[in-house]
Amino acid sequence: MKIAFVGNPNTGKTALINAIAGSDLEVGNWPGVTVEKKEATFRYEGESISLVDLPGAYTLSPYSIEEKITRNVLAYEPPDGIVDIIETTNLRRNLYLTLELIDMQKPMVLALNMFDDFTRRGYTLDLKRLEEILGAYAVPTVASAGLGAKEVIARAIETIKEGKRPRIQPLQEHIEKEVAFLMRKIEQAGVFPYPKRLFAIKLIENDAFAVELAQKAYAEEVLRFAEGARKRLECHIKLPIRTIITRSRYEVIDRILEEVLTEPVVDRVALSERIDAVALHRFYSFPILFAILYLLFRITFDASAPLVEWTGGFFEGYIGPHLHALLSVHLPSWLDSLLVDGVINGVGLVLSFLPLLFFLYFLMALLEESGYMARVSFLLDRLARSLGIKGNAFIAMIMGFGCNVPAIYATRTMTSLRERIITALTIPLMSCSARLPIYALFTALFFEENRAEIIISLYVIGVAIALLIAWAANRILPKSGMKPFFLELPAYHMPTFRAIWVLMWPRLKDFIVRAGTVIVAASIVLWGVIHLPSDADIHDSYLAKGAKIVTPLFEPAGFGRHWEPVAALIPGTIAKEVVIGSLGTIYGIESVRREPSPHDLWEDTKQQAAALKDALIASVRNLFFLSGGSEEDMPAPGTIQTRLKSQFDGPLAAYSYMVFVLLYIPCISTIAAIKEEFGWRLAIFEILFLPLLAYGTSVSVYQIGRIFLS
Amino acid sequence: MKLADLQPGQKAIVKTIGDLGELRDRLMELGLLCGETVQLLRRAPLGDPLEFSFGNEKIALREEDARKIDVEPISRPHREEKKESV
């Protein structure tokens, strides 16, 4: 038995499914697009029930990609029943979708969500009467607290088993006559994936999808009749057809609401409006926005830093050596090296990122759930306008500072492919957190005096080039499929931990699985190029040979004399922070590994546990006291540092190298995300374009800098 | 008068919604129909877009699009709102 959960955006659908299915919730993607697909299968009284969470939709005439998915799933993979989630405080608008769903004539249950808010604001609802009118159960729920979830599912199953269909809510008389006649024509023409009544109405509405369905089936008669019906109605009522039908639907809704809804005498001035008076204020809004963004990144980096460090150390200093001690006895040395240096390194790399992404996703979800994200779009839309994008593009870009991968996925909420492409082109230039360790290393060596300024200047270069590219893309790309800006500003509300978790967990899991496989696979390949042919010296490896060939090309950029820094860029395509590790490997220092004897295991475990405790304490402390300690304490100049310093002719060359690192390619995971979202063409374009861009910029920086500094 | 000509706090009745493509259908489906009362809440600090409310709904449109909607004002600009925006 399959039950689809349908509802307007921001109605708490996912929270409700989560409350019903709990840990059974599976997150995947809809085929062809990477809109999150959440599904759950569980047993209920001996029967297997599967729940599908359809993306939020206002109506069945889609405006966004997500709405399209919802419509397509309902048409092509019809569920046995529908749970329609309604934001009770916004009943009128939500009932519009309900009426369309009723026209599908599937067993259906209404979940009146956020019911607590609704009563608190002084509204009352005659539930019995509403159920009578609609011929469907209506269950009050508070999904964020899990209230009513059990009843929803029980009622849904009951309705499906009884095969009870909701009562049709007739539209205006003239429309109904045409619909009835058209339905007969449809019956004669054959079987369509859309339920008859809805199909008839959508055909009269001239809905593109419905018309296409009829054309594909060569239902000429049906099409001809639908067009006739449309003309008759438009001629009779003297309004465009969409207006006629929409208006008629709202007449039905208002008649229902009149019977069942009692509004409070004075609706309490929504707190939301009072917050907006400040948050969207002419003078305060931008300082508030910048303060929030600053805190977002500050908390993310500060709170995660101790944990990131611990995770790195855990794999490098604990798992690695002990596994090596264990394996080296039983396995040939190359396999041991592959497993420890290749696989474990890769896993460690992925996992060391988790604390950072955890905090980033948590805070992003907090902003999204609270309703502030929509305000960010509102505030910044003016800037986006001249670039052919909309305010929400900046949200994706801001996310890119944390990690480019989720930023690419964030573009999918945009309404046109054109906007998505323009935004996606800018994202790789947002300096993500993985590039920061490289800047940290280099600035500590070459710019001791003004590290912060130098690092900020790199972010600025990235953003400036991104805006330039967006501007150019906006001029070049054909101006087709553009849709007007439209934004709903939902009421602010206090997010629950559960709601935030439901929003962030799929993204985190996605990262572990997707980025995980790519990075681990790439780490193995990388191990290959570094250690092959044979287990010889690093200087004779494929990597070194390749790097030595291309190195002279970088002469104009200021770092073309030594092959080592150039070689480190190649593994850097896997993930930027790998550059540092590779420098270590290439300079041949890291391989000096402590050889622990097995009985150290217990001691080491205790040590790791203690370090973890310290890291957690430090993390919590950083969370609350944003005081200091964010400047990474660079260890005393080690071998990497001295070698590096000797290989760059001064700060300008080092800066040019950092600029190259910033721009030359985001990382394999980002490219994979671009490929998945936009296809091979854009991915290949990025692979070719970004290195050229990086090269051009580095050379310009170095050459222009030389003129000024000499 | 056009929707974009309203002052912050001013209310108006929607007369006709012009050519906004699919957005027109979407606005109607959300309840912005002829005869509905709509209020301009504020302009974004950078001048565009504009925030409107009708029914329980709050939406933002760009000025160019709000120019395509004809309205009949029914109230003078609110003094209170003016004070706030100073």
Side-chain angles (χ1 to χ4, degrees):
Chain A
M1 191 185 284
K2 191 167 95 181
I3 304 175
F5 282 57
V6 194
N8 284 192
N10 310 314
T11 46
K13 250 184 307 100
T14 309
L16 187 66
I17 284 216
N18 192 51
I20 293 169
S23 55
D24 291 334
L25 199 66
E26 292 256 328
V27 179
N29 285 314
W30 294 101
V33 282
T34 45
V35 174
E36 272 158 26
K37 177 180 189 177
K38 305 196 195 77
E39 272 181 308
T41 310
F42 67 103
R43 297 201 74 78
Y44 185 89
E45 289 174 0
E47 199 166 343
S48 167
I49 313 277
S50 78
L51 309 179
V52 193
D53 179 14
L54 296 184
Y58 291 108
T59 73
L60 296 180
S61 302
Y63 196 69
S64 69
I65 301 167
E66 300 180 317
E67 289 181 318
K68 206 179 222 163
I69 291 169
T70 298
R71 198 258 331 264
N72 288 355
V73 172
L74 287 173
Y76 292 118
E77 305 160 39
D80 299 300
I82 294 172
V83 172
D84 175 20
I85 294 102
I86 285 174
E87 186 192 347
T88 321
T89 44
N90 217 338
L91 200 52
R92 188 170 185 260
R93 185 197 73 200
N94 280 251
L95 281 177
Y96 194 91
L97 179 67
T98 308
L99 289 191
E100 289 198 320
L101 292 174
I102 287 177
D103 286 336
M104 301 196 85
Q105 285 294 295
K106 288 266 168 210
M108 175 169 159
V109 168
L110 273 63
L112 300 171
N113 201 22
M114 305 185 200
F115 205 78
D116 52 338
D117 229 24
F118 177 77
T119 35
R120 211 180 305 131
R121 283 170 65 173
Y123 290 93
T124 48
L125 188 67
D126 187 345
L127 268 177
K128 269 252 141 54
R129 187 73 194 113
L130 182 68
E131 289 183 335
E132 257 170 48
I133 295 173
L134 298 180
Y137 288 114
V139 184
T141 59
V142 182
S144 51
L147 294 177
K150 288 239 163 60
E151 200 190 335
V152 167
I153 198 68
R155 290 298 195 195
I157 292 168
E158 183 189 329
T159 311
I160 292 171
K161 280 194 173 153
E162 286 173 5
K164 194 173 128 198
R165 282 153 212 276
R167 186 164 298 132
I168 286 172
Q169 305 295 312
L171 300 170
Q172 213 185 321
E173 209 189 324
H174 300 289
I175 306 176
E176 281 303 326
K177 265 189 206 151
E178 302 285 4
V179 169
F181 197 62
L182 184 56
M183 276 169 72
R184 273 204 296 281
K185 292 274 173 215
I186 291 171
E187 248 166 76
Q188 287 160 12
V191 183
F192 294 93
Y194 236 19
K196 263 182 307 187
R197 180 177 162 81
L198 186 68
F199 191 35
I201 297 176
K202 289 283 165 198
L203 277 173
I204 295 178
E205 269 187 3
N206 207 10
D207 175 74
F209 177 71
V211 171
E212 204 188 300
L213 278 185
Q215 278 167 349
K216 267 195 211 145
Y218 301 105
E220 304 294 341
E221 174 97 354
V222 169
L223 281 167
R224 199 154 9 104
F225 187 81
E227 202 185 327
R230 190 178 325 130
K231 284 206 179 116
R232 279 190 293 276
L233 284 169
E234 285 186 335
C235 185
H236 182 76
I237 310 180
K238 304 255 178 331
L239 281 171
I241 190 69
R242 288 296 287 257
T243 314
I244 297 172
I245 289 178
T246 312
R247 183 186 278 234
S248 181
R249 280 227 173 86
Y250 269 107
E251 278 165 13
V252 174
I253 292 171
D254 288 337
R255 250 197 329 267
I256 297 173
L257 289 183
E258 196 155 309
E259 267 195 73
V260 300
L261 182 72
T262 326
E263 285 182 46
V265 188
V266 198
D267 192 2
R268 185 166 64 87
V269 180
L271 178 64
S272 206
E273 189 43 45
R274 265 184 280 166
I275 299 176
D276 272 343
V278 181
L280 301 181
H281 188 275
R282 208 191 298 177
F283 303 127
Y284 308 145
S285 54
F286 279 95
I288 292 173
L289 174 65
F290 290 132
I292 287 177
L293 292 182
Y294 175 77
L295 280 178
L296 173 80
F297 287 108
R298 196 63 201 266
I299 295 175
T300 300
F301 289 125
D302 284 4
S304 63
L307 294 169
V308 170
E309 206 172 305
W310 177 81
T311 321
F314 181 72
F315 278 91
E316 231 168 78
Y318 177 69
I319 299 276
H322 282 288
L323 197 66
H324 172 67
L326 188 72
L327 294 179
S328 56
V329 188
H330 306 287
L331 295 178
S333 80
W334 68 268
L335 188 57
D336 160 49
S337 166
L338 171 66
L339 285 174
V340 176
D341 297 328
V343 179
I344 294 298
N345 246 344
V347 173
L349 203 67
V350 176
L351 293 186
S352 70
F353 250 116
L354 272 188
L356 193 130
L357 286 177
F358 176 90
F359 284 102
L360 181 71
Y361 287 164
F362 180 87
L363 296 169
M364 285 283 189
L366 181 77
L367 289 184
E368 263 173 71
E369 268 295 298
S370 66
Y372 188 73
M373 275 305 190
R375 272 74 187 177
V376 177
S377 283
F378 180 71
L379 291 172
L380 295 176
D381 180 64
R382 178 67 189 81
L383 297 176
R385 200 173 67 182
S386 38
L387 303 175
I389 46 184
K390 289 170 190 154
N392 53 2
F394 287 109
I395 296 175
M397 289 188 215
I398 291 167
M399 222 175 198
F401 287 130
C403 178
N404 287 181
V405 177
I408 294 286
Y409 294 132
T411 61
R412 65 177 175 225
T413 51
M414 295 171 185
T415 45
S416 73
L417 183 63
R418 187 175 192 275
E419 281 165 58
R420 297 187 66 206
I421 290 177
I422 295 178
T423 314
L425 286 172
T426 67
I427 286 170
L429 307 169
M430 301 294 123
S431 186
C432 68
S433 53
R435 295 169 222 191
L436 200 58
I438 307 172
Y439 306 155
L441 175 69
F442 275 80
T443 51
L445 279 176
F446 296 97
F447 302 92
E448 279 161 68
E449 300 293 303
N450 32 23
R451 288 181 67 189
E453 290 80 356
I454 292 293
I455 292 179
I456 290 170
S457 77
L458 288 164
Y459 279 81
V460 171
I461 289 180
V463 172
I465 294 179
L467 296 180
L468 218 67
I469 286 176
W471 178 82
N474 182 36
R475 308 216 64 178
I476 295 166
L477 289 173
K479 292 211 174 12
S480 64
M482 286 170 83
K483 287 186 182 178
F485 171 77
F486 161 76
L487 175 74
E488 202 209 345
L489 294 155
Y492 287 104
H493 71 201
M494 193 49 119
T496 58
F497 276 102
R498 196 184 187 131
I500 291 177
W501 181 247
V502 167
L503 211 57
M504 67 177 284
W505 169 238
R507 297 177 187 168
L508 210 55
K509 195 168 136 190
D510 214 34
F511 171 81
I512 303 172
V513 175
R514 197 190 315 269
T517 40
V518 173
I519 294 182
V520 170
S523 304
I524 295 171
V525 173
L526 185 62
W527 177 88
V529 292
I530 292 179
H531 290 87
L532 298 178
S534 75
D535 203 9
D537 194 20
I538 181 89
H539 296 260
D540 302 318
S541 67
Y542 289 134
L543 180 69
K545 281 182 189 150
K548 280 174 187 162
I549 297 169
V550 293
T551 299
L553 285 176
F554 292 97
E555 191 82 32
F559 49 96
R561 296 233 188 88
H562 301 275
W563 65 272
E564 291 94 334
V566 175
L569 294 172
I570 295 165
T573 53
I574 295 169
K576 285 285 170 77
E577 71 278 22
V578 178
V579 169
I580 295 179
S582 321
L583 279 171
T585 318
I586 292 164
Y587 290 139
I589 5 198
E590 202 207 34
S591 49
V592 191
R593 196 188 280 127
R594 198 168 55 95
E595 299 281 337
S597 53
H599 56 257
D600 276 345
L601 188 61
W602 175 238
E603 267 313 299
D604 276 7
T605 311
K606 274 203 296 195
Q607 236 175 47
Q608 287 295 329
L612 175 62
K613 198 184 88 193
D614 289 344
L616 283 170
I617 292 170
S619 160
V620 173
R621 197 185 53 221
N622 288 355
L623 199 55
F624 290 104
F625 308 100
L626 294 170
S627 50
S630 75
E631 291 280 311
E632 281 118 287
D633 298 316
M634 273 290 136
T639 334
I640 303 188
Q641 276 84 350
T642 7
R643 288 290 298 276
L644 255 186
K645 191 139 192 176
S646 71
Q647 294 204 326
F648 282 90
D649 319 328
L652 185 60
Y655 191 74
S656 161
Y657 186 76
M658 284 194 285
V659 168
F660 194 84
V661 167
L662 162 71
L663 302 173
Y664 78 103
I665 206 158
C667 65
I668 287 184
S669 308
T670 306
I671 294 291
I674 292 175
K675 186 244 139 193
E676 209 175 325
E677 293 285 303
F678 304 99
W680 274 117
R681 274 174 59 194
L682 196 67
I684 289 172
F685 171 78
E686 289 284 71
I687 294 172
L688 298 175
F689 170 71
L690 288 171
L692 287 176
L693 175 77
Y695 185 76
T697 317
S698 284
V699 169
S700 314
V701 163
Y702 187 69
Q703 296 301 336
I704 295 170
R706 260 210 324 202
I707 297 168
F708 279 96
L709 293 180
S710 61
Chain B
M1 194 171 176
K2 303 292 182 193
L3 188 58
D5 298 326
L6 294 178
Q7 295 295 312
Q10 198 176 9
K11 287 184 182 174
I13 304 271
V14 177
K15 277 161 62 188
T16 51
I17 303 178
D19 178 26
L20 288 171
E22 282 166 65
L23 180 60
R24 197 187 107 139
D25 302 334
R26 173 41 50 93
L27 290 175
M28 291 197 307
E29 285 161 344
L30 290 176
L32 192 77
L33 297 159
C34 313
E36 180 77 28
T37 308
V38 60
Q39 183 181 25
L40 174 67
L41 289 178
R42 60 173 60 81
R43 274 172 182 276
L46 299 176
D48 204 18
L50 297 89
E51 185 187 352
F52 300 100
S53 75
F54 54 91
N56 260 329
E57 207 63 36
K58 279 188 192 172
I59 58 147
L61 296 176
R62 284 185 183 166
E63 176 158 358
E64 49 175 335
D65 300 319
R67 282 230 162 269
K68 293 178 181 158
I69 300 175
D70 277 312
V71 296
E72 187 66 48
I74 53 170
S75 73
R76 308 216 142 250
H78 267 256
R79 296 243 168 69
E80 232 181 302
E81 298 281 328
K82 269 197 164 171
K83 230 190 287 167
E84 249 179 33
S85 59
V86 170

